């Protein structure tokens, strides 16, 4: 059975205030064309269909057109909700839409109820695990404790129990939206951990033939059977070096991965990151390749130059982001406040603040627990408000 694995469409998202709707529409055209041309048997969409819980109307219309076109192709599509989606909104009308071959899986309670497809070699059970916010689904799934690994483990227990009751030789595919250990993150994913909680291990998915992951925006294979498709478009300059693709997976008669091919997505405009003093950037002939790219420029001039954006856009007209990181001079502070906060979690920043106001003594174990709980409460409250909006 041939599967086309994609995820993280983020319909409605912009790139540094530049609308990507046209590029997203072109991607969906490309997806449908690939389904036809490569004789795909099923499309897998592993979450984050939309960029936010209440998407703009133009994004909803784009999704509606995509559903109609996928239904017209006559190839089954299995789609789950991600952490950016409102599961309840995305799942509206799922029963009716299913009649057209579009299977929306947004309810955690349905983790053990697969979409069953068949080919010449028998059945393939496709299980959709929507994004699981631990504090909201722990009791529903009967997880022993809170945490991403625990709730995913409980959902996978349901998958394995259902699979064990099926005919021997039934092949299995799981769609999930999670941060799995070993995956390489970028700046454009919304953090789904609390206080630096570790990602879930890939072993939580043991017992199934293929795992189609969503959430991380870089295409990557954690194992032969566990893969992220990545987002079809770049959503931050941290993805400058990404090759945006979908996975075309050939699932063999015995559940082996006979082939895994990356299908390139369309690139609306290349990304470029340039760094140096302004005069050097404007004169360097090696940077000519970035003149038609979306550019992030980091200026290292010791003194901020006059009209830097106007001067940059004279050569690089699509400059979208300007960063100042002056070269250090004798006695200058080591880094700006923004630089000191880069790559630090909310928990770490809070602990640094406690140490600062105390003159060096950071929080003890009990205080770290209080901070961890406070950040967890804020996250859960935000998740609950998204569910009920």
């Amino acid at each position: 059975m041939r599967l086309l694995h994609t995820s993280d469409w983020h319909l409605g998202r912009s790139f540094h205030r530049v609308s990507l709707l046209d590029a997203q529409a072109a991607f969906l055209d490309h997806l449908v064309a690939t389904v036809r041309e490569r004789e795909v048997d099923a499309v897998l969409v592993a979450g984050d269909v939309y960029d936010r819980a209440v998407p703009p109307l133009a994004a909803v219309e784009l999704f509606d057109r995509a559903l109609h076109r996928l239904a017209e192709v006559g190839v089954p599509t299995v789609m789950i909700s991600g952490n950016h989606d409102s599961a309840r909104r995305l799942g509206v009308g799922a029963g009716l839409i299913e009649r057209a071959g579009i299977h929306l899986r947004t309810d955690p309670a349905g983790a053990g109820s697969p979409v069953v497809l068949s080919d010449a070699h028998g059945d393939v059970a496709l299980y959709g695990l929507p994004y699981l916010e631990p504090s909201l689904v722990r009791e529903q799934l009967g997880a022993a404790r809170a945490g991403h690994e625990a709730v995913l483990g409980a959902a996978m227990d349901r998958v394995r129990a259902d699979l064990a009751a099926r005919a021997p030789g039934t092949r299995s595919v799981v769609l999930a939206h999670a941060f799995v250990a070993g995956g390489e993150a970028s700046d454009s994913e919304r953090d789904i951990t609390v206080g630096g909680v570790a990602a879930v291990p890939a072993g939580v998915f043991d017992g199934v033939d293929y795992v189609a992951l969503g959430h991380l925006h870089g295409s990557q294979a954690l194992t032969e059977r566990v893969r992220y498709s990545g987002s079809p478009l770049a959503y931050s300059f941290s993805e400058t070096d990404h090759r945006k693709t979908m996975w075309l997976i050939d699932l063999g008669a015995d559940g082996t991965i006979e082939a895994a091919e990356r299908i390139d997505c369309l690139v609306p405009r290349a990304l470029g990151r340039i760094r140096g003093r302004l005069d050097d950037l404007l004169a360097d002939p090696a940077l000519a390749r970035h003149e038609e790219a979306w550019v992030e420029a980091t200026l290292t001039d010791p003194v901020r130059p006059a009209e830097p954006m106007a001067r940059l856009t004279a050569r690089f007209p699509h400059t979208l982001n300007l960063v100042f990181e002056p070269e250090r001079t004798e006695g200058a502070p080591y880094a700006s406040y923004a630089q000191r906060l880069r790559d630090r979690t909310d928990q770490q920043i809070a602990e640094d603040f406690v140490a600062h106001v105390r003159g060096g003594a950071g929080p003890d174990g009990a205080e770290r627990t209080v901070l961890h709980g406070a950040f967890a409460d804020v996250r859960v409250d935000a998740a609950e408000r998204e569910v009920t909006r």
Side-chain angles (χ1 to χ4, degrees):
M1 183 169 288
R2 175 163 288 182
L3 311 171
L4 185 63
H5 168 197
T6 177
S7 73
D8 294 274
W9 295 354
H10 289 278
L11 300 181
R13 187 163 183 160
S14 60
F15 186 79
H16 289 269
R17 299 175 301 281
V18 175
S19 173
L20 292 177
L21 277 173
D22 288 344
Q24 290 171 335
F27 159 70
L28 293 171
D29 290 343
H30 174 57
L31 183 147
V32 173
T34 300
V35 170
R36 286 196 174 102
E37 293 166 6
R38 301 303 298 269
E39 298 181 337
V40 170
D41 296 306
V43 177
L44 314 178
V45 187
D48 281 353
V49 174
Y50 290 120
D51 189 54
R52 56 180 186 264
V54 185
L57 180 58
V60 176
E61 291 173 339
L62 186 56
F63 179 59
D64 180 61
R65 291 199 299 272
L67 290 184
H68 279 83
R69 295 185 65 190
L70 287 168
E72 288 168 3
V73 173
V75 174
T77 298
V78 183
M79 185 177 296
I80 62 172
S81 49
N83 60 301
H84 279 249
D85 299 310
S86 166
R88 291 179 63 182
R89 281 187 170 82
L90 188 63
V92 168
L96 288 173
I97 295 171
E98 190 157 12
R99 298 179 187 178
I102 309 292
H103 307 272
L104 295 171
R105 293 293 186 261
T106 62
D107 184 356
S113 301
V115 177
V116 180
L117 305 178
S118 299
D119 63 11
H121 306 291
D123 289 346
V124 178
L126 298 97
Y127 300 88
L129 311 186
Y131 170 66
L132 303 174
E133 176 61 46
S135 298
L136 298 182
V137 304
R138 175 185 175 183
E139 292 184 5
Q140 183 181 16
L141 293 175
R145 59 189 182 281
H148 290 282
E149 182 177 355
V151 296
L152 263 175
M156 283 302 301
D157 286 343
R158 296 189 178 197
V159 168
R160 284 185 281 263
D162 179 84
L163 191 58
R166 295 188 176 275
T170 299
R171 290 159 290 166
S172 54
V173 174
V174 165
L175 290 78
H177 196 87
F179 190 174
V180 179
E184 183 178 345
S186 60
D187 292 344
S188 54
E189 300 109 1
R190 182 185 298 168
D191 184 23
I192 59 174
T193 64
V194 179
V197 172
V200 303
V204 76
F205 299 107
D206 285 351
V208 297
D209 296 315
Y210 183 69
V211 182
L213 293 174
H215 179 57
L216 300 185
H217 288 183
S219 178
Q220 49 202 296
L222 306 186
T223 72
E224 181 67 13
R225 298 177 181 273
V226 181
R227 299 170 185 264
Y228 281 101
S229 68
S231 61
L233 299 170
Y235 293 117
S236 76
F237 279 103
S238 66
E239 300 171 51
T240 297
D241 295 328
H242 285 191
R243 175 186 165 196
K244 294 302 183 181
T245 61
M246 303 177 282
W247 282 111
L248 190 67
I249 302 294
D250 285 343
L251 190 65
D254 59 353
T256 58
I257 307 300
E258 293 186 344
E261 178 185 350
R262 292 177 70 180
I263 305 295
D264 287 296
C265 296
L266 305 175
V267 178
R269 189 180 294 278
L271 304 186
R273 273 179 153 172
I274 59 177
R275 179 185 181 89
R277 296 192 177 199
L278 179 57
D279 288 341
D280 294 338
L281 297 180
L282 296 177
D284 188 350
L287 300 181
R289 67 186 188 278
H290 296 309
E291 290 176 357
E292 295 303 320
W294 280 324
V295 167
E296 178 183 71
T298 299
L299 300 186
T300 61
D301 300 70
V303 177
R304 183 173 299 207
E307 300 183 332
M309 182 60 89
R311 293 168 65 190
L312 273 169
T313 54
R315 182 181 185 190
F316 307 103
H318 305 288
T319 301
L320 299 181
N321 195 37
L322 185 56
V323 180
F324 292 97
E325 292 185 6
E327 298 167 352
R328 289 192 66 208
T329 57
E330 190 74 27
Y334 178 73
S336 69
Y337 180 71
Q339 289 172 296
R340 294 197 301 272
L341 295 187
R342 184 174 298 169
D343 300 325
R344 299 186 66 74
T345 66
D346 290 342
Q347 175 93 13
Q348 290 169 327
I349 293 169
E351 291 180 10
D352 289 347
F353 176 75
V354 172
H356 172 73
V357 297
R358 285 180 174 168
D364 58 25
E367 290 168 332
R368 286 192 179 92
T369 300
V370 170
L371 288 171
H372 179 92
F375 285 119
D377 289 344
V378 169
R379 273 179 37 81
V380 171
D381 178 66
E384 288 176 336
R385 282 189 281 105
E386 280 202 355
V387 167
T388 57
R389 279 171 70 181

